[in-house]
Amino acid sequence: MNHLGTFLIRMGNAAVLLGSVLVLNFLLIHMAPGDVADTIAQSMGGADAEVMAQIRAEYRLDDPFLVQLTRYIGNVLRFDLGHSYFYNEPVTDLILRRLPATLLLVVTAQVLALLVGIILGVYSSRNPRGIFSHLITALSLFGFSAPVFWTGLLLLIALSLRLPLFPVAGMVDPTLDGGVWVRALDIAHHMVLPVLALSSIFLALYSRLSRASMMEVLESDYIRTAEAKGLGNTKVVYKHALKNAVSPVITLAGLQFSAVVSGAVVVETVFSWPGLGTLAFEAILARDTPTILGILFFSSLVVIVGNLLTDAAHRLVDPRLRRRG
Amino acid sequence: MTDPVLRIENLTVEIRTRTGVAPVIDDLSFRVDTGRTLALVGESGCGKSMTALAIMGLLPRGIGRIVRGSILLGAEDLATTSPARMRSIRGNEIGMIFQEPMTSLNPVYSVGEQISEVLRAHQGMGRKAAWSMAIELLDAVHIPNPSLRVSDYPFQMSGGQRQRVMIAIALACRPRVLIADEPTTALDVTVQAQIFDLLKDLQRDTGTAIILITHDMGAVTEMADEMIVMYAGRMAEAGPVEAVISRPRHPYTRGLISCVPHLGAIVDDDRPLLTEIPGIVPGLGQFGQDRCLFASRCELSDSHCRSARPAAYAITDGHSAACWQAGGAA
Amino acid sequence: MTDMANHDATTTPRPRHPAVEAFEMFTRNLSAIVGLVLLMLIILGAFLGPMLYPTDPFEMVWAPFTPPGQEGFLLGTDYLGRDLLAALLNGARVTLLVGASAALLSVCIGVTVGALSGYYSGFVEEALMRVTEFFQVLPTLLFCMVIVALFGTSLHMIVLAIGVVSWTGVARIARSEVMRIKQLEYVLAARASGATHSQIILFTILPNAMPPIIVQATLMVGSAILFEASLSFLGLTDPNVVSWGQVIGANRQYILDSSFAVTIPGLAIFVTVLAISLIGDGLNDALNPKLRRR
């Protein structure tokens, strides 16, 4: 019952956040210079005042603010995020078609960065002056300081243009014939460079924090207890220390979700990855406001879901969070 | 009683400091017998805990090492045994409980897991058997409702309960020696007495020898049969508790005893006031010097004390003191 | 053995001002000094460079894709035959100014929100925490892109957009510091002597909360520069002003012909942010009393 309560509170919280994003979206449309009628008129190549008024009436743009806001939220609840004038199709369809590519990129990069970061961190914590420790320091300085699009372009130049190991752009090879496995392998092949570029930032963060956290935990009393029990080194480090040390890393990973999505936007443009990022880029160039705001909404949703998952992972690792609710 | 389970002979442990190498344990010898309790007494920094870590083979890596002497568990010298063999002794033939029950248990595992883990590691028990054994052990250390509490996490228990769990872990494999490093310092006075009673009961049942590390003379009289007073890494005085407390020969021992109200009354009736020992424990840099390290704080010291290290002076059967004045000061 | 004894007796610590100690700690940190020197050079280049090398970064001066070092162009020319060195020197000013002012803005917002939510409890705290949570959920860069796309690409708007999306980290740190400090005795003493809430926050708590905030503020400059670079790389910047990210964005179609037009400005961003990170790490070591003991 306690579990259910916490779950409901969390879901309610997420719903409120999502609602706030919607209100913000609507405010942005409202405050931005020029409205839907202007945009449509522009795409028609100019329109006179009468046509403009007709459009405004059609889209009910003259209704009071709150009425429009309620209608907007009502529409979103029915998965209607408006119509893209530029692509001439419903924004929801447009986004749902692009979302899987972004999710694939974001989740792979985040998981890879976490796994490798924790492994590097654990390894170097046991040997603070060793080569891995220096590697982490160098890696984290690079990850913190290099612009992600530059990392991406460097990878592209080195591993795709100079050494043609990986494809330059896109997610699939349209000329390829074959079954599910062939295509999955093809996607994986396309994914290598974007994932490397995106995870480089977060790998730096996670490995540094894991190392610090691990070094702190290895000094703690319960590690001495585990040693006094006569447990092997592997048990002491991986069973007793790691499970404690991983907690702050999970917290950080949760906080980074919005940064991962942001990074994905840039990485997608560099590698022409057909996800929400490239869509956002195109939509902004085309001044396609409904699409832009729809993307903002969906990517916030991705971050919120990511946070909920992080939270669940945290509870799995730390019993103190589980029992207290 | 005649057969020592653990014999420490001329143990010397050095640690690296910023300024050099210091012998934190300097030529220490003692023995513990089955079913008996030996107390290591002294102020903090005198080498008590280091002795425990040396016996456990847990000296801080790269900082502390045994340079001389032997630690004989039965016929086996732990000072020279392999790390793998040492691991199979720790938690199995020698158990240890620590000062801080609040932080000595791993917060993310249930107490049952933490007890049964040691049984699985050393006794080759399966998961199920180890788990039900953990419940029995919790019962043995007087945790109420053990079959329910076994899946509790440390944060759901009080300090006294956590120390009981620590005792259960340390005694799970019925070790020959139990090292208790300040086991009650962090606990309430009423809980302290319960923990001591528990340790005594368990000792009676299992016959384990206990090395009690403490700075609390009250704990010594309550628990121990023999005692060693340590000062600056060296043995200052050793002997049966009764003899040392009633007829202390080393000025340091006398100082320690007179710090405790009701023990001070036993020593001599003409000194009713509580006193404290002037000065502080010498810094690590002075450890190992060829003189009496207590001389700077001792009102009886003379030039002899400051120029040569005193050897142990045997007083009566088993009672000895490392003091140049011990012969005449009685 | 005897000199160890002497050593023990002769070291009597003299109390010194913590700021002096922190300064000494910082100057002894080689990588922090390297960072500081690098940053100084970059700032000098940004403000003196355009005067010493007056080529217009927008002017076509030679054939496109002239490699670095040829025809008298130290860094070569881009796809429109514009001088890359001129672009780099002129872009530095924009990059640094936008980075610094956006960081300042986000630190101001962050410290205000963090201090208030840490000091007060109840409704104010709850409301501010919700706002912080809300901004944590918005994908920062995307939100920035939306603001700039809807409201125009002037530098002011870019600074505002970056500042508005990146203050949550500062707020989190300020909040935890304020929550820690408000329970200390000297704050109680100030309250007992009748200081108002704003006096306590401004003059008692915040000065003591500064060390971690200073470190974070330094690192914020770096991340604001990266932010600006990403926006201008995507073309969301004032088209009349050169910036490093913009040069990369404009030349990225031609990496096959002239990868240097992409790698060199990127290197400039990297080195600048690296210098700031090194300074930030140095400040962290110097101002963090926990590490100072080692």
Side-chain angles (χ1 to χ4, degrees), chain A residues 160-210:
Chain A
S160 189
L161 299 178
R162 298 267 189 276
L163 276 179
L165 294 176
F166 298 102
V168 181
M171 182 166 145
V172 286
D173 183 352
T175 63
L176 200 70
D177 254 355
V180 184
W181 287 110
V182 176
R183 272 185 289 164
L185 208 66
D186 180 46
I187 291 178
H189 192 212
H190 279 83
M191 244 169 72
V192 173
L193 293 185
V195 164
L196 275 183
L198 184 55
S199 53
S200 69
I201 322 169
F202 306 100
L203 178 62
L205 275 176
Y206 300 152
S207 60
R208 210 161 113 140
L209 184 65
S210 317

Side-chain angles (χ1 to χ4, degrees), chain A residues 239-251:
Chain A
K239 179 176 175 186
H240 283 271
L242 185 58
K243 201 172 173 192
N244 282 285
V246 100
S247 238
V249 184
I250 292 177
T251 309

Side-chain angles (χ1 to χ4, degrees), chain C residues 179-201:
Chain C
M179 284 175 73
R180 179 179 67 81
I181 292 170
K182 77 172 176 186
Q183 297 171 349
L184 298 181
E185 277 79 3
Y186 57 78
V187 175
L188 293 178
R191 190 169 296 150
S193 66
T196 62
H197 288 310
S198 52
Q199 278 170 336
I200 291 177
I201 295 178

Side-chain angles (χ1 to χ4, degrees), chain A residues 221-222 224-225 227-232 235 239-240 243-244 317-320 322-324, chain B residues 56 61 87 90-91 98 100 103-109 113-114 117 122 153 155-156 169:
Chain A
D221 288 349
Y222 53 81
R224 199 187 42 192
T225 306
E227 284 177 329
K229 282 178 180 178
L231 301 178
K235 271 253 164 78
K239 179 176 175 186
H240 283 271
K243 201 172 173 192
N244 282 285
V317 171
D318 194 336
R320 284 165 291 190
R322 260 198 316 264
R323 299 281 171 114
R324 282 201 188 128
Chain B
M56 294 295 281
R61 241 161 278 150
R87 237 189 344 263
R90 276 201 294 272
F98 296 97
E100 277 298 334
T103 52
S104 291
L105 289 169
N106 195 327
V108 300
Y109 290 105
E113 170 59 26
Q114 296 188 55
E117 168 182 61
H122 296 298
Y153 288 89
F155 73 89
Q156 293 165 307
I169 292 173

